[in-house]
């Protein structure tokens, strides 16, 4: 994966989470997260088709999903409303990240078709997809919780 | 004046945020309708009077572009203004939607101030 692409994605993730949910993320290294220990983790993915085809995934623990939903909705993390929207909030964050990333990377003239974000098992994150040409992962920490973002460029 | 508003987005979270943003923007709501995709939105518009539609693009079953195309073909888009609220950043696609009759565009995440300014503009054009 080109470092320039990952650099753009890193910046977009931080900006979107700040604008969407007032979450300030710090980049982390891969050693800070053990993907095999991700038990209470929510993972969402979506694909994009256009000048380049690919797939974007985000994984975060339930606690961070609750904070994300609460901040987006103007609620508290322990409120029922936040619990009801926890996974959907992660999907919406992915949706916004994907849209911004594609525009930042390929420009405003490029047209992409995006799939709707879906939930997937956290184990999917560590799999290499059949059509993958290259892939890269970013690791973040926000309010003491981890988040993993994975991009796969496909044939 | 209160307006009947239809919010079309497959994300319940986004629909909830938009309802709250309408309140923060002090837009007077008559009746509020919600739909999870373009097909559901067209069904609502068949049976209810709607003053303005806020629609996402990327949705399952029927996306926002397909919904706008049908509204343009039937002429409904001339009487029921549509504002697209999306992550879409392609000028090419947005111009295509404007050419079909879409009245405004807001890129997610949206601020209440920008939301209000676009809604005020679209509704004032409708009244005029």
């Amino acid at each position: 994966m080109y470092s320039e692409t990952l650099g753009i994605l890193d910046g977009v993730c931080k900006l979107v989470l700040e604008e969407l949910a007032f979450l300030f993320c710090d980049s982390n290294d891969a050693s800070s997260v053990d993907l095999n220990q991700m038990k209470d983790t929510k993972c969402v993915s979506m694909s994009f088709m256009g000048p380049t085809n690919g797939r974007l995934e985000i994984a975060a623990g339930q606690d961070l999903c609750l904070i994300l939903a609460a901040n987006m909705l103007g609620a508290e993390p322990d409120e029922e409303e936040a619990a009801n929207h926890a996974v959907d909030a992660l999907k919406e964050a992915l949706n916004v990240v994907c849209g911004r990333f594609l525009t930042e990377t390929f420009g405003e003239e490029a047209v992409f078709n995006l799939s709707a974000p879906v939930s997937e098992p956290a184990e999917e994150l560590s799999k290499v997809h059949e059509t993958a040409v290259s892939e890269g992962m970013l690791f973040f920490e926000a309010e003491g919780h981890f988040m993993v973002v994975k991009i796969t460029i496909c044939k | 004046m209160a307006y009947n508003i239809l919010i079309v987005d497959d994300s319940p979270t986004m629909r909830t945020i938009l309802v709250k943003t309408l309140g923060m923007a002090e837009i007077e709501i008559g009746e509020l309708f919600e739909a999870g995709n373009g097909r559901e939105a067209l069904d609502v518009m068949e049976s209810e009077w709607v003053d303005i539609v806020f629609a996402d693009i990327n949705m399952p079953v029927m996306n926002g572009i397909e919904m706008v195309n049908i509204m343009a073909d039937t002429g409904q888009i001339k009487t029921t203004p549509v504002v697209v609220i999306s992550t879409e950043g392609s000028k090419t696609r947005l111009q295509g939607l404007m050419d079909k009759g879409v009245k405004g565009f807001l890129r997610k995440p949206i601020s209440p101030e920008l939301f209000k300014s676009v809604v005020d503009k679209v509704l004032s054009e409708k009244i005029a």
Side-chain angles (χ1 to χ4, degrees):
Chain A
M1 176 63 61
Y2 297 113
S3 60
E4 188 185 354
T5 304
L6 283 177
I8 293 171
L9 184 58
D10 181 87
V12 167
C13 287
K14 288 174 180 169
L15 184 69
V16 166
L17 289 167
E18 185 182 330
E19 287 184 0
L20 190 69
F22 315 107
L23 274 176
F24 297 91
C25 298
D26 292 319
S27 299
N28 239 317
D29 60 54
S31 63
S32 62
V33 178
D34 183 353
L35 293 177
N36 295 318
Q37 296 298 314
M38 292 169 58
K39 298 234 184 277
D40 188 25
T41 297
K42 309 301 176 194
C43 187
V44 295
S45 70
M46 66 187 292
S47 56
F48 51 89
M49 291 134 292
T52 297
N53 298 333
R55 173 185 169 90
L56 206 54
E57 294 158 272
I58 296 184
Q62 172 72 5
D63 288 346
L64 185 53
C65 291
L66 289 171
I67 294 169
L68 183 68
N71 288 6
M72 285 169 71
L73 295 163
E76 292 297 325
D78 57 358
E79 283 181 37
E80 192 179 349
E81 187 178 34
N84 292 340
H85 288 271
V87 175
D88 194 57
L90 192 63
K91 287 180 184 174
E92 193 54 32
L94 173 66
N95 194 27
V96 179
V97 165
C98 189
R100 285 279 181 98
F101 166 73
L102 293 173
T103 307
E104 291 285 323
T105 307
F106 298 97
E108 293 181 333
E109 302 303 324
V111 177
F112 282 90
N113 292 316
L114 309 180
S115 72
V118 293
S119 296
E120 64 179 22
E123 298 81 55
E124 286 292 313
L125 206 62
S126 53
K127 285 184 183 170
V128 177
H129 293 272
E130 289 172 10
T131 57
V133 174
S134 64
E135 61 176 36
M137 274 196 195
L138 295 170
F139 300 86
F140 299 100
E141 187 179 330
E143 302 210 5
H145 305 285
F146 73 84
M147 175 179 280
V148 182
V149 178
K150 179 181 176 184
I151 181 168
T152 306
I153 301 298
C154 301
K155 288 175 191 166
Chain B
M1 182 178 173
Y3 299 100
N4 287 1
I5 292 169
L6 170 59
I7 296 172
V8 193
D9 198 305
D10 59 321
S11 164
T13 305
M14 200 60 216
R15 295 202 301 269
T16 304
I17 290 170
L18 285 176
V19 171
K20 292 186 177 190
T21 308
L22 281 166
M24 282 189 277
E26 297 177 337
I27 294 163
E28 212 174 327
I29 302 171
E31 283 199 74
L32 182 69
F33 306 104
E34 295 185 29
N37 59 62
R39 180 70 264 163
E40 288 179 12
L42 293 173
D43 290 344
V44 169
M45 284 184 272
E46 252 184 42
S47 57
E48 306 287 350
W49 176 261
V50 173
D51 289 299
I52 187 166
V53 179
F54 300 106
D56 188 16
I57 291 179
N58 182 28
M59 295 179 287
V61 183
M62 180 187 284
N63 66 36
I65 296 169
E66 293 167 317
M67 184 194 80
V68 165
N69 285 341
I70 291 172
M71 290 179 73
D73 289 345
T74 60
Q76 187 171 18
I77 204 157
K78 290 177 185 164
T79 53
T80 312
V82 176
V83 174
V84 169
I85 299 177
S86 170
T87 62
E88 183 66 56
S90 165
K91 279 185 178 170
T92 311
R93 177 163 278 158
L94 294 179
Q95 189 55 54
L97 286 165
M98 293 301 215
D99 292 344
K100 288 280 182 181
V102 166
K103 293 292 184 192
F105 172 73
L106 288 162
R107 194 165 189 202
K108 295 176 184 176
I110 55 170
S111 71
E113 296 78 16
L114 191 58
F115 190 49
K116 182 170 172 51
S117 72
V118 170
V119 173
D120 284 348
K121 178 177 168 289
V122 171
L123 290 173
S124 64
E125 284 173 1
K126 181 180 175 168
I127 292 165

